[in-house]
Amino acid sequence: MPLDPSFIGRTYPPSEPYEVGREKIREFADAIGDLNPAYRDPEAAKALGYPDVIAPPTFPIALTLKASERIITDPSLGLDYSRVVHGEQRFVYSRPVRAGDRLVVELHIDNIRSAAGNDIMSIRAEVSTEDGEHVVTAYSTLVARGTAEREG
Amino acid sequence: MATTLNYDDVEVGIELPAQVFPVRRDTLVRYAGASGDFNPIHWNERVAKSVGLPDVIAHGMLTMAEAARVVTDWIGDPGAIVEYGVRFTKPVVVPDDDRGAEIVVAGKVAEKLEGRRVRIDLTATSQGEKVLARSQMIVQLA
């Protein structure tokens, strides 16, 4: 079933704050096999000029994906998540995510379109501290394979 | 923040040390837990095949994370990344054996930009197939 195009332009208000912990950053760094000390050792992070350990550049996906569940699982949108593959991803950083951050995610559905039988949805996640400091914007394109109606 | 790598010392065409990243089924389980992406196509062969995939595939975000390491290992400070984007062109198929798959990543300084920044272009392949396209990172140098 194709996605409902009336969702284009929708904005979802900021999520509850997500508190970034040192151990969560370490777990993520372990999962990608990255031993960079800036992710593990507060002293190493301080030597680079940060107040605490920082997160790997793709870590924000853990927050934005969680926030996007509100969209992904919305039955009125009609997305079959088992058919979803990731098409594109881009991050624009104001600064790295770091331990102790309390982050909120505001979501925007920038586009929904069909191509070659796939539904393609572009979501923009604005990640900022609860005090309003911008940290990163995450642009995600999700492709639901074979869910759109083929033309002709 | 910026790395200690100096803009004036970096030339277009410099190649970053390439790296090979192994990806096995347990890598995917670990990444699913750390990232919170439990889509069954990343751990359940039955579901993956039922939606037309050849087998379980790696999370695109895992490939993106590994590709970034070629840059962060080179510059030292991961916080110097200003922008990072990729397009996922082919899935990384991960067979249920002890070897799994490999992601091979290479990078090159493609352009020197205003404000002492550089653009680095990355390539990532698995089993000879290009798995990332338009993989670009902008980095702030000293």
Side-chain angles (χ1 to χ4, degrees), chain B residues 49-107:
Chain B
K49 287 185 170 165
S50 77
V51 295
L53 295 166
D55 203 335
V56 162
I57 63 169
H59 303 73
M61 289 307 301
L62 175 62
T63 303
M64 186 175 186
E66 302 294 24
R69 287 180 52 193
V70 167
V71 179
T72 55
D73 285 357
W74 183 61
I75 62 177
D77 178 3
I81 298 170
V82 176
E83 193 173 328
Y84 179 31
V86 305
R87 172 186 266 202
F88 304 103
T89 45
K90 290 256 185 195
V92 174
V93 178
V94 182
D96 184 18
D97 59 28
D98 295 332
R99 281 190 59 224
E102 279 182 350
I103 300 169
V104 182
V105 182

Side-chain angles (χ1 to χ4, degrees), chain A residues 114-128:
Chain A
S114 296
N118 301 325
D119 275 313
I120 302 166
M121 179 162 68
S122 302
I123 300 175
R124 172 167 48 94
E126 300 287 357
V127 181
S128 51

